[in-house]
Amino acid sequence: MRNESLKDIAIKELLLQLADDDFIHSYRGAEWLGLAPHIEEDVASASISQDTMGHAAIYYKLLDELGEDDADKLAHDRPAKERRNAIILELVNGPGYYLKDPEYDWAFAVVRNYFYTQAKAIKVQSLHSCSYEPLAEVAQKVQMELYYHLMHWKTWFVQLLGSGHLEAVSRMKAAIGKTMPDFAGVFSLGQYGEEMVELGLIEGEADLQKKWIEAITPIFESVGLATTIEIGMARGDGRNGQHTEDLEKALETLSEVYATDKAASW
Amino acid sequence: MSTIQLNTEEIYKLLEDVKDPEIDTVSILDLGMVEDVTVSGQDVSVKMLPTFLGCPALSIIQKNVETALRELPAVRNVNVEFLRSPSWTSDRITEKGKAGLKVFGISPPPRQMKSDGSWHVDCPYCESTYVTMENIFGPTACRSILYCKSCKNPFEAMKPMIKMI
């Protein structure tokens, strides 16, 4: 029987959520390599994905230090039902496969990346005053790197919606329509959410969500979008292990090399 | 039998020869990556700060530090550790480091950004201020790509990494 305090469980749950979000987000970003709209974007989005994978790795490392498995095992060797990432982050970039007939949706990538990066910035800001000191320290560093990510995705978002180009605007609106119904999953803190807030680890879901809406509302207004922002968890809460087939397939692909020899050193 | 005494100055001198794996004109000391060096008998402990969390050069740098220090016959154990805190910021790069970056064709980061979050760097080749940012993101996490409209050279600049509130 595990004899863990509620505090330990809450810290680990929060770290898993942060790590798994960044891990799958980085993976979906990396799938754009060679497919991004132009070469500068290929460099930029690959660099952002690399940073983001670094963020996932440092959260996994904190878990390792708390007695959980090592980072490689946590990243590669957990089935979908044990993952805590939000469902919106695991959804495929579009039909097809990156090596064969990828019909990826750049508008969806921009919307999801901008929404998520803004949400992450708000969470990371909240983590500055996290009562678990190692996480507060990591948050400082993550925020510095995130500054560039947010600037990048905000620019794309405003450019495409403010372009006046009919196709760009309609595709962006469709992407927003696709992202909103599941986006509340990013703010979910899962079954130990109340404990996390009581222990001073992070602000509550409602507060984080409110700050996010405050941050994106002026951007929506600047491109003439209606400002009623309603988000939900249509497909369920990833924090409690609910996921789609998209995640299972992604995990299968990304752990293919790891699974061939789990004892190999990297 | 007398043992050879190690001192920290000696260690720092060796670390001057450990260069950035991709920029051979700048050492890890010049970049401000070394936070602390302690010597205890024949054991050396080096505490370092990662420039970017996902930088793939970190493990290479760690190995290069270990290899360099083990060359001293008086050294028995080397322990290299990356710290979580304080965060590395670009103002840790020394004047020597900035000069080394320029020699390599990379503009050093400015000390601060303007109030709107933008920043300016000059061309490392002709010093012109007539430059454009082509891509904030570059070949590595810490660099951006720019173009000089005066001497028509593309060049890179190290991103400013500044502590935010």
Side-chain angles (χ1 to χ4, degrees), chain B residues 6 8-19 27-29 64-73 75:
Chain B
L6 275 174
T8 50
E9 285 95 88
E10 231 177 323
I11 303 299
Y12 273 108
K13 211 166 161 24
L14 272 179
L15 291 177
E16 270 176 33
D17 294 330
V18 181
K19 307 293 181 191
S27 78
I28 55 166
L29 280 178
N64 291 350
V65 170
E66 287 168 359
T67 311
L69 299 188
R70 286 220 178 86
E71 271 172 26
L72 278 183
V75 168

Side-chain angles (χ1 to χ4, degrees), chain A residues 40 62 65 141 145 147-148, chain B residues 51-53 84 117 135 160:
Chain A
E40 286 82 5
L62 289 179
E65 289 171 20
K141 183 69 181 157
E145 299 180 14
Y147 170 80
Y148 293 104
Chain B
T51 50
F52 274 70
L53 289 173
R84 279 192 289 265
N135 199 342

Side-chain angles (χ1 to χ4, degrees), chain A:
Chain A
M1 202 180 95
R2 294 180 83 172
N3 186 18
E4 267 190 312
S5 73
L6 203 54
K7 185 177 180 180
D8 288 346
I9 294 171
I11 291 170
K12 287 181 186 176
E13 277 297 321
L14 179 58
L15 285 170
L16 271 178
Q17 293 174 8
L18 296 164
D20 287 349
D21 271 0
D22 276 347
F23 184 69
I24 196 70
H25 178 63
S26 168
Y27 176 73
R28 288 298 178 213
E31 278 188 312
W32 276 100
L33 191 62
L35 301 171
H38 48 70
I39 193 159
E40 286 82 5
E41 183 52 35
D42 220 49
V43 171
S45 63
S47 185
I48 291 172
S49 295
Q50 189 183 57
D51 286 346
T52 308
M53 192 54 86
H55 302 166
I58 193 91
Y59 295 133
Y60 285 134
K61 192 159 171 279
L62 289 179
L63 282 158
D64 180 7
E65 289 171 20
L66 286 169
E68 294 300 301
D69 287 324
D70 67 44
D72 283 338
K73 207 155 184 265
L74 288 171
H76 292 289
D77 208 12
R78 286 157 56 231
K81 63 177 172 17
E82 289 179 20
R83 303 276 169 162
R84 309 294 202 278
N85 64 271
I87 285 178
I88 188 66
L89 304 176
E90 73 199 34
L91 300 182
V92 291
N93 292 313
Y97 178 60
Y98 64 92
L99 291 175
K100 198 176 180 293
D101 306 325
E103 284 179 45
Y104 288 178
D105 182 353
W106 185 246
F108 177 52
V110 168
V111 170
R112 175 162 67 175
N113 292 344
Y114 169 53
F115 281 15
Y116 176 65
T117 309
Q118 182 61 71
K120 183 174 162 181
I122 281 157
K123 281 184 162 186
V124 163
Q125 175 74 45
S126 179
L127 290 171
H128 281 3
S129 32
C130 180
S131 60
Y132 183 59
E133 188 63 26
L135 184 50
E137 289 172 359
V138 164
Q140 295 272 352
K141 183 69 181 157
V142 170
Q143 192 194 28
M144 278 193 230
E145 299 180 14
L146 207 58
Y147 170 80
Y148 293 104
H149 304 182
L150 185 56
M151 184 155 68
H152 184 77
W153 295 122
K154 197 187 279 179
T155 303
W156 264 107
F157 186 83
V158 171
Q159 285 271 328
L160 288 178
L161 276 163
S163 65
H165 190 284
L166 286 180
E167 191 189 344
V169 173
S170 79
R171 286 179 62 171
M172 285 295 284
K173 283 184 176 167
I176 293 169
K178 181 179 172 180
T179 308
M180 294 282 201
D182 284 302
F183 201 76
V186 171
F187 299 103
S188 167
L189 295 172
Q191 55 178 324
Y192 297 100
E194 275 178 36
E195 284 82 0
M196 287 176 195
V197 178
E198 274 166 32
L199 290 161
L201 298 176
I202 192 166
E203 286 164 278
E205 293 167 15
D207 289 331
L208 295 169
Q209 203 168 301
K210 188 168 160 267
K211 286 184 181 174
W212 178 78
I213 289 174
E214 279 166 10
I216 66 165
T217 298
I219 305 299
F220 269 53
E221 282 171 354
S222 75
V223 290
L225 282 177
T227 49
T228 324
I229 296 159
E230 277 180 34
I231 52 176
M233 276 197 282
R235 289 176 231 225
D237 188 353
R239 308 295 185 216
N240 298 334
Q242 286 173 289
H243 294 289
T244 64
E245 231 180 60
D246 288 3
L247 180 61
E248 271 167 49
K249 283 188 187 148
L251 294 177
E252 207 176 288
T253 305
L254 69 86
S255 60
E256 202 178 328
V257 177
Y258 178 84
T260 57
D261 184 359
K262 291 185 181 180
S265 66
W266 295 66

